[in-house]
């Protein structure tokens, strides 16, 4: 992939399955003009999104770009095997009963009074968010949306593996509270002609990092709650249990400090650690499990 020359010192690597759409190319050319950019990686499924395309990872030394993580902080995949043959769901009555109960226990938007958690888990309650409005939303919206799917391209599926075993796969993130965290910190960001940004070591940058990490954990617990609900459904309808030693989850919208080794920027401290932003881009480090739908 080639882009127009710019003042950026960032390296760009791409893994493309087809030529870029013109609007995606323009978005990437604009991204390369952003300050403090060291590396950009473009994935095969790159596609247009607000400010920073989905399917892009980028690394900086001292700058946070909230739009390079996006509003669904911690969005990712989870997979869980069941001690059952997927053929059990070929029976239409059983399948209908599973779908009916799943739609009640795993709603798209929020839980009703009879299925909502009484309170958030202690680990979420005890970690305060950076603004009183976020704290109020956490206790209100965060509670009733924990264990819910969301809309868009999020999904909960029952699948058959090559050996015929029944599996659950879930795609979702931090729901409404993740979006609120994102929008709150976007309002606090400094503006330039490319992207809104936060300095990592500023009070605003540190507040974003703390809230971001809270949202990552919320998203993980959200997927776990849905997996538990699915197990309850399948135990009730089919009499089967989950094999929890098979449970895997990974997320593709996050920011974290990583040692990129030989990719560290020349003449900088990049080799000791860069701030890697991923938006619709799954880490692929050796030995790290991932879930690919």
């Amino acid at each position: 992939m080639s882009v127009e020359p710019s003042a950026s010192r960032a390296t760009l690597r791409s893994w493309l399955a087809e030529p870029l759409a013109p609007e995606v190319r323009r978005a990437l050319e604009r991204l390369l003009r952003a300050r403090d950019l060291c590396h950009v990686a473009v994935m095969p499924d790159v596609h247009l999104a607000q400010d920073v395309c989905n399917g892009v990872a980028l690394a900086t030394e001292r700058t946070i770009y909230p739009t390079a993580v996006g509003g669904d902080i911690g969005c990712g995949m989870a997979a869980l095997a069941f001690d059952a043959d997927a053929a059990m769901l070929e029976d239409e009555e059983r399948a209908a009963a599973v779908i009916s109960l799943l739609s009640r226990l795993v709603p798209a938007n929020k839980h009703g009074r009879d299925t909502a958690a009484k309170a958030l888990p202690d680990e979420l309650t005890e970690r305060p968010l950076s603004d009183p409005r976020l704290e109020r939303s956490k206790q209100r919206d965060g509670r009733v949306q924990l264990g819910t799917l969301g809309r868009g391209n999020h999904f909960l599926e029952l699948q058959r593996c090559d050996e015929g075993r029944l599996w659950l796969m879930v795609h979702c993130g931090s729901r409404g509270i993740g979006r609120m965290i994102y929008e709150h910190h976007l309002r606090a960001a400094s503006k330039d002609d490319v992207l809104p940004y936060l300095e990592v070591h500023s009070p605003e940058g540190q507040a974003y990092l703390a809230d971001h990490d809270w949202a990552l954990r919320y998203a993980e617990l959200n997927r776990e709650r849905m997996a538990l609900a699915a197990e309850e459904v399948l135990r009730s309808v089919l009499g089967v249990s989950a094999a929890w030693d098979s449970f895997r989850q990974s997320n593709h919208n996050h920011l974290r400090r990583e040692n990129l080794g030989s990719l560290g920027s020349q003449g900088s401290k990049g080799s000791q650690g860069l701030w890697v932003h991923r938006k619709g881009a799954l880490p692929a480090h050796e030995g790290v499990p991932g879930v690919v739908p």
Side-chain angles (χ1 to χ4, degrees):
M1 172 192 164
S2 62
V3 295
E4 294 300 318
S6 75
S8 173
R9 59 193 174 91
T11 62
L12 185 145
R13 300 185 180 192
S14 59
W15 293 263
L16 300 177
E18 58 188 25
L20 291 172
E23 61 272 17
V24 173
R25 179 178 293 278
R26 288 192 292 271
L28 293 174
E29 290 172 348
R30 178 173 178 269
L31 173 63
L32 283 178
R33 297 197 298 271
R35 66 180 65 210
D36 190 35
L37 209 58
C38 299
H39 305 286
V40 177
V42 182
M43 305 298 116
D45 64 342
V46 61
H47 54 281
L48 203 63
Q50 182 181 2
D51 285 333
V52 177
C53 292
N54 284 321
V56 166
L58 61 87
T60 63
E61 289 184 2
R62 59 188 179 276
T63 305
I64 293 170
Y65 289 113
T67 54
V69 175
D72 197 1
I73 302 167
C75 182
M77 311 293 304
L80 176 66
F82 286 83
D83 294 321
D85 193 307
M88 296 181 75
L89 287 176
E90 292 176 2
D91 179 280
E92 291 187 5
E93 287 189 9
R94 283 177 170 174
V98 167
I99 291 171
S100 176
L101 193 51
L102 270 176
S103 65
R104 188 176 78 83
L105 296 186
V106 186
N109 184 27
K110 64 180 181 179
H111 281 284
R113 184 174 300 177
D114 58 335
T115 60
K118 301 296 185 244
L120 286 172
D122 289 346
E123 63 179 295
L124 296 179
T125 300
E126 293 166 3
R127 292 171 61 180
L129 295 176
S130 65
D131 184 87
R133 289 168 296 182
L134 293 178
E135 269 294 303
R136 289 193 292 272
S137 295
K138 165 180 131 179
Q139 297 297 340
R140 182 185 66 243
D141 304 310
R143 180 182 66 83
V144 298
Q145 289 194 328
L146 186 65
T148 65
L149 191 56
R151 297 188 172 91
N153 64 351
H154 293 164
F155 63 80
L156 182 151
E157 292 182 354
L158 292 168
Q159 302 183 354
R160 183 201 309 266
C161 73
D162 291 342
E163 292 76 35
R165 191 178 190 181
L166 182 64
W167 280 78
L168 171 78
M169 188 174 284
V170 178
H171 175 209
C172 69
S174 51
R175 303 294 288 109
I177 187 63
R179 168 63 64 171
M180 291 175 194
I181 289 170
Y182 166 74
E183 291 177 349
H184 170 78
H185 290 287
L186 206 56
R187 288 191 292 270
S190 299
K191 308 296 190 297
D192 66 14
D193 60 349
V194 181
L195 294 174
Y197 66 92
L198 300 164
E199 294 290 343
V200 168
H201 297 297
S202 68
E204 295 81 6
Q206 291 298 299
Y208 174 84
L209 288 173
D211 290 350
H212 161 278
D213 290 351
W214 185 96
L216 289 185
R217 186 59 182 145
Y218 181 95
E220 290 175 345
L221 292 172
N222 189 40
R223 290 186 286 270
E224 289 176 16
R225 287 291 178 103
M226 284 188 280
L228 285 166
E231 181 184 37
E232 181 180 341
V233 169
L234 294 179
R235 184 185 292 117
S236 173
V237 177
L238 303 180
V240 301
S241 298
W244 282 97
D245 59 344
S246 71
F247 183 72
R248 298 288 184 274
Q249 63 169 317
S250 56
N251 80 74
H252 45 247
N253 286 6
H254 63 253
L255 167 68
R256 66 188 186 198
R257 194 159 176 81
E258 296 185 22
N259 186 338
L260 298 186
S262 61
L263 286 179
S265 54
Q266 277 190 329
S268 75
K269 297 180 181 179
S271 59
Q272 281 86 49
L274 294 173
W275 291 99
V276 178
H277 306 59
R278 291 187 175 89
K279 187 176 184 182
L282 188 68
H285 302 300
E286 184 176 358
V288 177
V291 182
V292 180

